[in-house]
């Protein structure tokens, strides 16, 4: 019998940095991973360019008009049946002040405190890449 093909979900996330802080959003009740602090972003729709997907997600979730910069790194994670491919982008500029349109709350977190946060497992695994990317963003 042929093995069932794995299901992959591509996800984009934005690194939004201000001075020595980065923006995190608390995932709302009712969604998978409720209560953990994620980097704003979401799933790429079929046919959508990854950077366009992130610009759309940041408008929907935070109400900002973001300039999506370069791809900093990528990682994968398996949640049981579901596999995600996570693409992290730098957000060098944005217009508007991030507002809570989707998350339970938003917070600017000191980069040095990132490892103390309750992060999705996929992000915790990639913490050294996240910290390096944030460092490179100046
Ligand atoms: P659901 O409940 O499976 O329908 O998921 P959604 O629609 O709430 O999830 P969405 O659109 O935020 O997709 C992101 C997926 O990637 C979700 O399974 C959580 C996972 N993920 C892991 N780390 C991060 C992160 O830093 N940011 C975001 N946005 N998602 C992350």
């Amino acid at each position: 019998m042929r093995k069932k093909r794995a299901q992959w979900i591509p996800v984009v996330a934005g690194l939004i940095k201000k001075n020595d802080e980065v923006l995190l959003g608390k995932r709302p009740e009712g969604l998978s991973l409720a209560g953990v602090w994620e980097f704003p972003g979401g799933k790429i729709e079929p046919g959508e360019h990854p950077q366009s997907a992130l610009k759309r997600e940041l408008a929907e979730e935070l109400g900002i008009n973001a300039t999506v910069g370069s791809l900093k790194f990528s990682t994968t994670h398996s949640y049981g049946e579901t596999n995600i491919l996570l693409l992290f982008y730098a957000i060098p500029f944005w217009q508007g002040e991030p507002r809570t349109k989707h998350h339970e709350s938003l917070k600017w977190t000191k980069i040095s405190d990132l490892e103390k946060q309750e992060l999705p497992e996929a992000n915790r695994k990639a913490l050294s890449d996240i910290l390096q990317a944030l460092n490179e963003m100046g």
Side-chain angles (χ1 to χ4, degrees), residues 81-101:
E81 298 276 278
T82 316
N83 304 290
I84 60 167
L85 167 66
L86 252 175
L87 308 175
F88 277 85
Y89 287 87
I91 306 297
F93 311 107
W94 63 94
Q95 289 171 303
E97 194 52 40
R99 284 179 287 126
T100 310
K101 296 181 71 182

Side-chain angles (χ1 to χ4, degrees), residues 60-126:
E60 287 172 7
E61 292 188 351
L62 307 175
I64 61 172
N65 179 13
T67 299
V68 178
S70 54
L71 176 65
K72 298 303 287 182
F73 70 92
S74 56
T75 185
T76 61
H77 189 66
S78 297
Y79 292 105
E81 298 276 278
T82 316
N83 304 290
I84 60 167
L85 167 66
L86 252 175
L87 308 175
F88 277 85
Y89 287 87
I91 306 297
F93 311 107
W94 63 94
Q95 289 171 303
E97 194 52 40
R99 284 179 287 126
T100 310
K101 296 181 71 182
H102 159 80
H103 293 99
E104 194 181 306
S105 54
L106 297 174
K107 68 175 177 185
W108 291 98
T109 306
K110 286 244 181 304
I111 291 166
S112 53
D113 285 342
L114 209 46
E115 67 175 325
K116 296 184 206 146
Q117 308 302 312
E118 199 185 330
L119 302 171
E121 180 60 25
N123 300 27
R124 182 149 297 282
K125 270 181 10 191

Side-chain angles (χ1 to χ4, degrees), residues 11-13 27 31-33 38-43 57 61 79 84 86 88 120 122-123:
V11 176
V12 282
R27 286 179 66 86
L31 287 191
S32 56
L33 307 178
E38 68 172 11
F39 295 90
K43 294 168 182 153
E57 289 282 353
E61 292 188 351
Y79 292 105
I84 60 167
L86 252 175
F88 277 85
N123 300 27

